[in-house]
Amino acid sequence: MSGLAGRHGDRSTPWYSLLSRAKRILPGESLLGGSGADVMIDRTIINRARLEELTARERTRFAVAHPASMRAFDSAGQHLLGGVPMTWMRRWPGGFPLYLATAHGARVTDIDGNIFADFSLGDSGAMTGHSPAQVQAAVAERYGELGGGTAMLPTVDAEWAAAELHRRFGAVHWSFTLSATDANRWALRIARQLTRRPKVAVFSYCYHGGVDDSIIIASPHGPRSRPGNTGAPVDPVLTSRVAEFNDVDALERELACGDVAALLMEPAMTNVGIVLPDPGYLAAVRQLTREHGTLLINDETHTFSAGPGGCTMAWGLDPDVVTIGKAIGGGIAAGAFGLSAPLAERIMAGETADLIDTGGIGGTLAGNALSVAAVRATLEHVLTADAFEVMIGLADRYAAGIAQVIESRGMPWNVVRLGARAEYRFCRRPPRTGGESHAAADPALDAYLHLYLVNRGVLLTQFRNMALMCPATTDADVDAHTALFAQAVDDLVG
Ligand SMILES: Cc1ncc(COP(=O)(O)O)c(C=O)c1O
């Protein structure tokens, strides 16, 4: 994928302080990132009793403002496991989820008629904004007018979409899936097949979907299955190696064992808070993986926020495989993985890999006509380079507003931005590793802020306080969030 190398310049200064902030937009940056300061939460600054009291107040307000959602949730437990269509939908600090009525652009309306500025955007699945007109039209045409949502026959949209993914992410040959999880699973199978090596490597506290091999963490006592790993088919310690992000020596130690087929990574971690790579780190990762014969898989599912070709394009990366999902379907289930030309040639020529029947790669509806039509419309008309410029500008405004609030109130917190995505954390300096970031979590504070905002018309992802901009987000949405954030902080410590 060398064609993309250096296209968007180097990123040798990814972090910069608020005071010296240049106007130019960098794809990833941390505001207020003081060096040498603590990454542990300073709990003394928050009165915990006050936090509890305010959270209880917000929870009551949440219940009062959402009676229809509460009723729907209360009566949904009979036949839905956990009372929700998917068990993670229970994870709402208000005690029950909002029920969706409508969603367009950057707006969501619940069944009580409350309208929200949506910065959650389906945890990236709706990075396009909800139901953008061009994807609606493509889906309506494919499913309605033309028919044949899934006929197990290719459509010409697929080659168009693959060529566009190549132009953006460098990988030459692409296959489609229905989720990022499947893209990762199948990329790992191909890596194991090609290298004939048994293990994969990941970073501690990564998330790549329900990929068995990746649910592992590093600990002072060595690698271990991540707590809560449900019904693991095999202990991931047997299938995987794990290192902390930004620790070159630890990665080298793992790869030097010589049994690692692939390193599966996000170029910046996004699922344990945003953890940006140190300057030079990704180049070291590429060099180490090459030296040790390990394939490098960039999972761009969330880091797509960095620009039209994700971090791969924005930072001139050169992975062997790229995986992606969520946003590329504009809200319709879609995912994809792309291989470099030599890898594609080898896997297609391999005589022992069954790629067309029951060899473990493939899903009946994968690459279906509807899904691929949505991917084409998304890439052709919605998540364009122009759209990213707007979205990144909005995230810049968002992060600067948060940084100003943090600084003016003297809070030992920080805000990090990755293209169109930004997140505030409750420690002075942005964590450098997944382990650090995990330890810096403050679920009580997350819950308070989430509820405070949702009660006043702003929706952040319920998993943490991460915000994503879509092309329909407005300056006014961003400023409304900043004002509420300031108010929430003042209520807490003012
Ligand atoms: C980086 C990354 N990869 C893969 C996935 C899995 O996506 P999906 O659940 O759509 O399969 C996620 C989900 O959050 C993700 O953040």
Side-chain angles (χ1 to χ4, degrees):
M1 289 182 221
S2 50
L4 289 176
R7 193 140 108 205
H8 289 255
D10 79 292
R11 53 176 307 279
S12 51
T13 51
W15 297 359
Y16 60 98
S17 76
L18 179 69
L19 297 176
S20 62
R21 248 180 69 229
K23 263 289 135 220
R24 111 195 132 92
I25 294 166
L26 295 174
E29 68 202 345
S30 150
L31 307 185
L32 300 168
S35 62
D38 204 352
V39 286
M40 299 312 291
I41 309 169
D42 184 352
R43 290 182 183 273
T44 57
I45 199 141
I46 306 287
N47 176 335
R48 292 279 145 178
R50 171 95 182 130
L51 176 60
E52 256 177 53
E53 185 190 307
L54 288 177
T55 305
R57 179 191 80 187
E58 293 303 321
R59 206 164 272 137
T60 303
R61 185 170 169 159
F62 182 77
V64 169
H66 305 101
S69 283
M70 188 158 61
R71 271 195 309 276
F73 181 65
D74 281 346
S75 57
Q78 285 208 324
H79 299 292
L80 284 172
L81 182 63
V84 280
M86 187 62 215
T87 41
W88 51 254
M89 289 186 195
R90 288 181 67 93
R91 190 171 161 179
W92 270 77
F96 59 90
L98 294 179
Y99 275 61
L100 173 70
T102 62
H104 297 284
R107 293 280 173 280
V108 162
T109 306
D110 69 14
I111 61 172
D112 286 291
N114 299 299
I115 301 172
F116 303 90
D118 186 10
F119 291 95
S120 164
L121 295 169
D123 196 26
S124 298
M127 192 191 288
T128 50
H130 296 284
S131 300
Q134 300 93 330
V135 180
Q136 273 187 50
V139 165
E141 182 188 39
R142 181 69 262 176
Y143 198 80
E145 218 173 289
L146 301 174
T150 186
M152 284 183 87
L153 297 171
T155 54
V156 292
D157 287 335
E159 174 57 23
W160 191 97
E164 180 62 10
L165 288 168
H166 161 58
R167 192 183 70 75
R168 294 179 183 221
F169 294 94
V172 180
H173 295 284
W174 290 80
S175 268
F176 289 94
T177 70
L178 289 180
S179 69
T181 298
D182 270 347
N184 286 327
R185 283 186 189 139
W186 300 345
L188 290 178
R189 274 185 173 263
I190 286 173
R192 283 191 167 109
Q193 174 74 20
L194 288 176
T195 60
R196 308 281 166 166
R197 290 178 172 188
K199 293 204 172 180
V200 302
V202 293
F203 290 113
S204 196
Y205 290 102
C206 67
Y207 186 71
H208 297 282
V211 177
D212 295 323
D213 321 66
S214 66
I215 306 177
I216 184 169
I217 55 170
S219 83
H221 315 291
R224 57 165 59 174
S225 183
R226 188 167 175 161
N229 189 359
T230 308
V234 56
D235 186 340
V237 169
L238 300 174
T239 62
S240 310
R241 296 189 173 279
V242 61
E244 287 286 7
F245 195 74
N246 275 325
D247 185 340
V248 176
D249 294 341
L251 181 63
E252 177 155 35
R253 269 196 305 278
E254 297 303 325
L255 298 187
C257 297
D259 55 3
V260 180
L263 170 66
L264 173 61
M265 69 180 291
E266 292 186 282
M269 297 185 84
T270 67
N271 282 293
V272 60
I274 297 173
V275 182
L276 296 174
D278 286 347
Y281 177 66
L282 295 178
V285 167
R286 181 63 280 196
Q287 193 182 326
L288 281 179
T289 45
R290 285 216 171 95
E291 268 171 31
H292 293 285
T294 295
L295 297 176
L296 176 59
I297 305 174
N298 272 7
D299 179 347
E300 289 273 20
T301 301
H302 276 184
T303 51
F304 190 16
S305 67
C311 290
T312 301
M313 179 193 269
W315 299 345
L317 307 178
D318 188 19
D320 301 297
V321 182
V322 174
T323 59
I324 192 163
K326 298 199 186 187
I328 60 166
I332 301 291
F337 62 93
L339 308 176
S340 68
L343 288 189
E345 202 176 303
R346 281 172 52 206
I347 193 72
M348 292 311 288
E351 285 177 3
T352 58
D354 174 7
L355 294 179
I356 54 174
D357 199 359
T358 51
I361 293 181
T364 310
L365 271 77
N368 74 68
L370 184 68
S371 171
V372 170
V375 174
R376 178 175 181 163
T378 297
L379 297 179
E380 191 169 5
H381 302 299
V382 187
L383 290 179
T384 59
D386 288 349
F388 271 101
E389 212 173 305
V390 172
M391 291 152 65
I392 291 171
L394 286 159
D396 194 40
R397 183 183 184 99
Y398 178 99
I402 297 302
Q404 198 277 331
V405 173
I406 291 173
E407 202 166 53
S408 60
R409 272 71 175 174
M411 303 303 285
W413 298 351
N414 73 86
V415 55
V416 178
R417 183 172 70 80
L418 180 68
R421 189 188 294 288
E423 181 169 22
Y424 36 88
R425 303 298 307 282
F426 309 118
C427 49
R428 199 176 290 280
R429 173 169 75 70
R432 286 184 54 251
T433 70
E436 262 184 18
S437 198
H438 180 74
D442 190 336
L445 211 38
D446 273 340
Y448 164 66
L449 282 163
H450 183 90
L451 280 171
Y452 195 101
L453 295 168
V454 86
N455 282 338
R456 293 159 183 81
V458 168
L459 192 58
L460 295 189
T461 165
Q462 62 267 41
F463 299 128
R464 57 202 165 262
N465 290 321
M466 188 159 79
L468 180 65
M469 312 296 141
C470 73
T473 306
T474 63
D475 284 352
D477 294 337
V478 169
D479 295 346
H481 171 273
T482 306
L484 287 172
F485 177 70
Q487 213 175 291
V489 175
D490 290 344
D491 274 10
L492 193 57
V493 297

